[in-house]
Amino acid sequence: MSQEIKDIPNAENPEEFTGKMRLTKPKTVAAGIPAVVWSAKHIFGEMGVGRGLKALAILNQKHGYDCPGCAWPDPDDERSTIAEYCENGAKAIAEEATTKRLTTKFFADNSVKQLAELDDYHIGKKGRVAQPMYLPEGGTHYLPISWDDAFKKIAHHLNKLATPDEAVFYTSGRTSNEAAFLYQLFVREYGTNNLPDCSNMCHESSGVALNETLGIGKGSVTLEDFYKAEVIIILGQNPGTNHPRMLSALQKAKENGCTIISVNPLPETGLMGFNDPQSVKGVLGLKARLTDIFLQVKINGDMALLKAIEKLLLEEEKKAPGAVFDHDFIAKSTAGYNELIAKIEQEDFDTLVKASGISEAQVREVADILKKKNKIIACWAMGLTQHKNAVRTIQEVVNLLLLKGSIGKPGAGTCPVRGHSNVQGDRTMGIFEKPSPALLDKLKWVYGFEPPRHHGYDVVECIRAMHEGKAKVFIAMGGNFLSATPDTEYTAEALRRCDLTVHVSTKLNRSHLVHGKEALILPTYGRSDKDILNGEEQFVTCENSMGVVQMSKGGLKPISNDLLSEPVIVSRLAKAVLGERSKVKWDLYLQHYDYIRNDIELVIPGFNDYNARVRKPGGFYLPNTAREGKFPTRIEKASFTVSDISIPQIAEDEFMMMTIRSHDQFNTTIYGMNDRYRGVNNERRVIFMNQADVDKHGFKAGDVVDLFNNTDGVERVARKFIIIPYSIPEQCTATYFPETNVLVPISSVAEKSNTPVSKLVVIKIKKHT
């Protein structure tokens, strides 16, 4: 599936490689002038100066469009007139707004087999798909097809299925609120809840954990809370690469006296230092130190660390009752306190410290800081959510915050940092395989049809269903499903067993090339594209990580006249599939997007007066009960959770592997072959290892090795990876996603959330022969 590396020499000195890979010293500071330079290279290299400047001028502005990258919020008040975006946001726009077009000639000249031999980077760099394309059964090349014929083709396949549950409808986080609402409406009127989405692979664990404990599956803080916080704890997150604009918020918090504690197996550059390129100090290269205490936890050692901290805080609370824990808050707003305290008292402190990988001195240092503070924010990302015990670990984060009364007050709360621009909005709109009865009741009341009540497939379940022949049609609203999912070979075979695979996409990606018996690519607008419907310019809306809904209005001329917007694609598809039996007025949605928002207002809570409020600059906040100190759980209180720690058991010759992103990528989109912050250039097939492990197992820096996983008796292999000694705990390793997704077993999932466990894969490492 991936391009193999050839002729990589060994090197005694990792600073100097004479092959294709080049290593430099890892950076100690993020952003700064280098970020500006790289942004310009990507933008102007893909679209020219004029179009590039126009694209950047309105990116994340109140009158412009929302970045298709991460879901970090924009400031509520004034936004930068210089640049309200980061380096990776600029790269995302360069990818999306490129002027490279893939016409029918391109597909005639390049067979599916030829394109599939490229790596993901070179596939993505080919450009934007300019017209609908169809691959017939047994075909070798994609062929042009009209939109009407494409919709008829999909309708034929869907309407001949024995049951609607034989179809799967996947959603990427880039999809707008309007498109997501229509998509789930169409799918449920069609008759299934098979609505897996990218949340299933990232923050599903957060949603489960937070719903069970706080009654709402979203974070509770706002951007303003960051500026009021006394302590910010960042767990399992690399903001310098995955959410770079977060660094500005951390810098401002730091200037206001906040202590920042970072917990991660790798010392990521963005956690350590930041040069704001819009400040004089940043331009001069005078970095702002961000992290005060860095805790280099073992892979999956986070829960043990949290419990060790809680045990020390309990000791301090006993010395000075009421001085450490917020007993007024605990008595009024929580349940399960006594049970949690009993569990903490049973824990052995030395065992917890050893399992965490952190020194006792550092654990005591953190506890000493936290005992005096109660305005605490906890941030986390996939370093917590993609573990077997992810839900329990996140609930331990909540335990710590509840003990301190650090939820529902200014400067405190939960902050699961979402990885894709509207992934939270899609869930709000009803993209969920386990819909609430309240949502289904509203759909029935507004539209007059009976939606299905049984649960559908999530991502892992839908892969299994396709593999077993229980699902025969796969439709993806955005995304690169194959490259995002676990157990690559298994998932590829699952897609190949489908009768039809359909992808609504902007650019060519791997999932178009590993397909069902028949396949369709339906090209759509990007966020930056101007969307004109019936002669009137339209806008869509998005929800960020902190629950703000705002408009997004592109300003660039689309690269082709044969593109359709996602809302139009869904509406026309619904008409073709459902025909006269539909009770939804799809033609109304094809007139103007305001009609979509009118119906969202009727179905989804918190969207009253939607069209008027979203037109106000900056949009509006959705209601958030946890932010208000209310917890609509089963018992109407926030719940403490009692859990046991999990200590991974691995053999002497085994390693724990976590997948990570390079600085030149966003999710499955590879912008380039460099990881500037970690000092890796011109290569992605690398494995970061502790130097002691390299020596102990007879390897050298630069050795080319194969990686093996044998879960469930199935041998999974990722070949030709280059060893790079790095600062990482012993028996822990890191590799880039998606190159090592092939090693992530389909059976290895998080408890309750069913999220693939991509942050702890047990592997063996052998020299390549």
Side-chain angles (χ1 to χ4, degrees):
M1 299 298 297
S2 304
Q3 185 185 45
E4 291 191 337
I5 305 305
K6 299 178 180 179
D7 301 323
I8 301 297
N10 293 342
E12 296 295 335
N13 180 4
E15 292 290 325
E16 297 292 337
F17 278 82
T18 57
K20 68 178 293 186
M21 183 177 75
R22 181 174 59 86
L23 294 186
T24 57
K25 188 176 180 180
K27 301 291 186 286
T28 60
V29 60
I33 293 302
V36 176
V37 173
W38 280 103
S39 298
K41 284 183 178 179
H42 279 266
I43 282 285
F44 302 139
E46 289 289 342
M47 67 189 77
V49 175
R51 183 176 170 91
L53 290 174
K54 186 175 182 180
L56 294 176
I58 58 172
L59 175 57
N60 291 326
Q61 297 297 335
K62 292 179 180 179
H63 62 285
Y65 62 96
D66 198 41
C67 178
C70 79
W72 189 253
D74 306 305
D76 288 337
D77 45 21
E78 291 302 314
R79 300 182 186 178
S80 170
T81 56
I82 301 173
E84 192 55 65
Y85 54 85
C86 65
E87 175 188 348
N88 276 0
K91 290 176 181 176
I93 297 307
E95 290 287 309
E96 174 185 282
T98 181
T99 52
K100 298 173 185 173
R101 293 159 34 98
L102 304 187
T103 63
T104 56
K105 184 179 186 305
F106 170 85
F107 288 99
D109 292 342
N110 295 274
S111 70
V112 172
K113 184 178 184 296
Q114 288 171 321
L115 292 170
E117 290 173 352
L118 302 175
D119 60 24
D120 282 27
Y121 167 66
H122 288 96
I123 292 172
K125 284 298 180 183
K126 292 298 181 184
R128 291 280 294 270
V129 181
Q131 63 288 303
M133 301 301 299
Y134 168 62
L135 183 68
E137 185 172 0
T140 58
H141 292 68
Y142 272 98
L143 307 172
I145 188 173
S146 70
W147 279 103
D148 282 344
D149 286 345
F151 293 136
K152 289 176 183 176
K153 177 71 66 178
I154 300 169
H156 169 74
H157 277 275
L158 290 177
N159 287 329
K160 75 175 184 179
L161 296 176
T163 167
D165 288 333
E166 290 184 341
V168 170
F169 300 86
Y170 174 75
T171 311
S172 160
R174 192 190 66 85
T175 306
S176 68
N177 285 341
E178 289 76 9
F181 179 79
L182 294 186
Y183 196 45
Q184 64 83 31
L185 178 62
F186 158 58
V187 171
R188 292 193 166 106
E189 189 175 25
Y190 171 66
T192 184
N193 283 313
N194 287 345
L195 283 159
D197 71 329
C198 57
S199 260
N200 296 152
M201 295 182 283
C202 55
H203 272 286
E204 197 68 58
S205 299
S206 299
V208 172
L210 295 175
N211 265 311
E212 287 186 356
T213 55
L214 304 178
I216 182 172
K218 302 179 181 182
S220 66
V221 300
T222 68
L223 201 53
E224 193 65 29
D225 287 320
F226 272 71
Y227 311 147
K228 300 174 181 177
E230 295 173 316
V231 178
I232 296 173
I233 309 174
I234 304 168
L235 303 105
Q237 184 196 359
N238 177 15
T241 288
N242 299 322
H243 315 91
R245 288 198 298 155
M246 182 179 175
L247 301 182
S248 297
L250 294 175
Q251 183 183 37
K252 188 170 181 178
K254 191 89 166 113
E255 291 170 350
N256 292 341
C258 181
T259 298
I260 297 176
I261 301 169
S262 297
V263 183
N264 205 54
L266 296 173
E268 303 290 14
T269 299
L271 293 172
M272 302 306 168
F274 172 55
N275 278 348
D276 182 354
Q278 297 189 44
S279 71
V280 174
K281 287 184 178 181
V283 171
L284 294 175
L286 304 176
K287 73 176 181 180
R289 180 182 171 85
L290 293 181
T291 292
D292 294 283
I293 301 175
F294 172 56
L295 304 177
Q296 192 166 20
V297 70
K298 289 180 182 178
I299 290 177
N300 199 235
D302 307 88
M303 180 185 280
L305 170 64
L306 291 164
K307 282 178 169 287
I309 293 169
E310 290 165 353
K311 191 166 185 70
L312 292 178
L313 291 177
L314 178 58
E315 290 177 2
E316 294 300 316
E317 171 67 19
K318 288 179 177 179
K319 295 176 185 176
V324 178
F325 293 166
D326 188 338
H327 286 285
D328 288 342
F329 172 82
I330 291 169
K332 176 184 175 184
S333 300
T334 74
Y337 172 76
N338 290 334
E339 291 82 355
L340 176 68
I341 295 304
K343 180 64 175 176
I344 294 174
E345 289 180 330
Q346 292 172 6
E347 300 282 8
D348 179 73
F349 180 72
D350 292 337
T351 299
L352 295 174
V353 170
K354 182 179 179 181
S356 74
I358 305 301
S359 70
E360 178 180 339
Q362 276 197 303
V363 177
R364 291 189 179 279
E365 182 184 11
V366 171
D368 191 56
I369 291 171
L370 294 181
K371 74 179 183 183
K372 307 166 189 173
K373 310 292 184 182
N374 58 21
K375 292 183 178 180
I376 304 167
I377 292 175
C379 308
W380 68 89
M382 286 179 283
L384 290 195
T385 67
Q386 291 182 333
H387 286 280
K388 184 176 182 180
N389 62 342
V391 171
R392 290 184 283 127
T393 299
I394 295 165
Q395 289 175 335
E396 207 63 53
V397 174
V398 174
N399 283 345
L400 177 60
L401 295 175
L402 292 177
L403 288 171
K404 298 297 296 180
S406 291
I407 297 179
K409 66 173 61 170
T414 57
C415 185
V417 185
R418 307 284 176 173
H420 214 155
S421 169
N422 198 43
V423 64
Q424 186 162 298
D426 290 347
R427 184 57 60 88
T428 300
M429 290 296 109
I431 299 292
F432 192 29
E433 74 280 357
K434 301 180 182 70
S436 68
L439 171 64
L440 300 179
D441 290 343
K442 272 297 181 93
L443 290 174
K444 182 178 180 180
W445 179 74
V446 172
Y447 293 105
F449 69 85
E450 180 62 59
R453 299 281 169 167
H454 59 282
H455 289 172
Y457 297 135
D458 63 20
V459 163
V460 169
E461 291 166 342
C462 87
I463 294 170
R464 287 191 179 278
M466 290 187 289
H467 202 275
E468 296 167 7
K470 296 176 181 177
K472 299 175 181 178
V473 175
F474 176 83
I475 300 176
M477 183 62 63
N480 182 356
F481 186 79
L482 178 60
S483 291
T485 45
D487 221 337
T488 309
E489 296 297 337
Y490 183 93
T491 301
E493 183 58 30
L495 290 169
R496 292 188 185 105
R497 293 182 182 184
C498 289
D499 291 335
L500 176 70
T501 51
V502 181
H503 294 273
V504 179
S505 304
T506 55
K507 300 187 69 178
L508 192 68
N509 67 52
R510 173 74 60 193
S511 298
H512 304 147
L513 308 175
V514 178
H515 49 77
K517 295 173 185 174
E518 296 178 76
L520 284 162
I521 307 173
L522 306 182
T524 191
Y525 294 145
R527 288 270 179 84
S528 54
D529 288 329
K530 186 177 291 187
D531 183 354
I532 297 178
L533 182 64
N534 299 320
E536 188 170 349
E537 199 169 343
Q538 305 291 316
F539 68 86
V540 294
T541 59
C542 302
E543 177 186 346
N544 64 34
S545 265
M546 295 179 184
V548 176
V549 178
Q550 60 184 352
M551 71 163 56
S552 178
K553 190 174 183 179
L556 300 182
K557 181 181 178 181
I559 57 101
S560 169
N561 293 326
D562 288 327
L563 309 182
L564 293 179
S565 71
E566 289 177 332
V568 169
I569 290 173
V570 176
S571 297
R572 288 182 59 178
L573 177 59
K575 289 182 62 179
V577 173
L578 303 174
E580 294 299 319
R581 71 181 187 269
S582 178
K583 296 186 177 182
V584 177
K585 296 178 180 178
W586 297 102
D587 283 328
L588 191 64
Y589 301 145
L590 289 168
Q591 293 179 26
H592 198 287
Y593 297 170
D594 277 358
Y595 293 115
I596 306 172
R597 287 184 283 271
N598 285 342
D599 280 5
I600 291 174
E601 180 177 337
L602 297 176
V603 175
I604 308 298
F607 285 83
N608 52 297
D609 206 16
Y610 191 5
N611 271 307
R613 287 199 295 160
V614 83
R615 281 177 162 85
K616 295 179 180 178
F620 61 92
Y621 279 91
L622 288 173
N624 188 299
T625 49
R627 188 177 297 158
E628 299 162 6
K630 302 173 184 176
F631 307 104
T633 62
R634 181 178 53 83
I635 56 175
E636 296 298 319
K637 286 187 174 185
S639 298
F640 287 103
T641 307
V642 175
S643 298
D644 294 318
I645 64 167
S646 300
I647 301 177
Q649 302 297 318
I650 60 174
E652 186 79 9
D653 63 341
E654 292 179 330
F655 299 84
M656 294 181 287
M657 183 196 80
M658 57 186 279
T659 64
I660 58 177
R661 277 74 171 155
S662 81
H663 191 62
D664 249 359
Q665 77 177 99
F666 179 74
N667 292 345
T668 59
T669 303
I670 311 300
Y671 301 137
M673 300 298 286
N674 299 325
D675 192 356
R676 192 170 78 247
Y677 290 168
R678 298 189 186 103
V680 182
N681 300 276
N682 303 323
E683 190 52 76
R684 289 184 53 84
R685 295 182 77 84
V686 301
I687 179 166
F688 297 98
M689 296 179 65
N690 185 286
Q691 181 68 64
D693 288 328
V694 174
D695 297 339
K696 178 180 178 180
H697 293 275
F699 298 128
K700 299 188 297 294
D703 273 354
V704 180
V705 296
D706 298 334
L707 315 179
F708 297 83
N709 170 271
N710 290 283
T711 300
D712 300 325
V714 177
E715 184 178 78
R716 301 170 183 83
V717 187
R719 299 196 184 279
K720 294 188 178 180
F721 280 70
I722 307 168
I723 290 177
I724 297 179
Y726 207 78
S727 178
I728 190 170
E730 290 186 40
Q731 279 197 288
C732 296
T733 66
T735 57
Y736 294 132
F737 159 102
E739 282 81 355
T740 50
N741 284 5
V742 68
L743 299 173
V744 182
I746 191 72
S747 62
S748 181
V749 295
E751 299 158 352
K752 294 187 178 181
S753 70
N754 214 34
T755 295
V757 177
S758 297
K759 297 297 184 187
L760 200 168
V761 182
V762 177
I763 65 169
K764 290 187 177 183
I765 304 172
K766 301 177 183 179
K767 285 188 179 181
H768 178 75
T769 55

